[in-house]
Amino acid sequence: MAPVVMVAPFALGLDAGAAYVVALIIGVLLMGKGLATTTLISGRGAPQGLRISAHVDVDLGIALAAAVSALGFAVVGEMAAGGFFAVVAAVQGLLAVTTRYSARA
């Protein structure tokens, strides 16, 4: 989902320059979260990687950040950006609540 979030504002032609920045920040957080968890599970990463138990909290936090961004863009009149981040928040929230968080042995 991270590459889509980072590229979509450019592809959709959103007017707000702030939408580009917020999308890049959310995309980088999504990518970093996934990489940190994957390296810890595979055993190839540093032991300070993101624990699986914390993964759900980060997922929900990113969904909340996207929802707050959507509300902020809607308040200032950037409805396209607000709608985009509302979709991102909904998708991220659905992924967070439907994912079974467990490490494979």
Side-chain angles (χ1 to χ4, degrees):
M1 189 167 131
V4 172
V5 171
M6 289 190 278
V7 172
F10 298 103
L12 295 174
L14 297 181
D15 294 333
Y20 300 144
V21 174
V22 172
L24 287 174
I25 290 170
I26 289 175
V28 167
L29 289 173
L30 285 169
M31 184 78 67
K33 173 211 36 140
L35 292 173
T37 305
T38 302
T39 57
L40 184 66
I41 291 171
S42 69
R44 291 177 285 189
Q48 67 268 19
L50 186 64
R51 295 180 327 273
I52 296 170
S53 61
H55 193 117
V56 67
D57 295 331
V58 175
D59 277 348
L60 291 172
I62 292 172
L64 179 64
V68 169
S69 299
L71 181 63
F73 282 114
V75 166
V76 298
E78 294 290 340
M79 293 303 172
F84 169 71
F85 286 110
V87 169
V88 169
V91 170
Q92 182 64 24
L94 283 172
L95 284 173
V97 298
T98 59
T99 300
R100 184 174 155 209
Y101 293 92
S102 63
R104 294 182 187 203

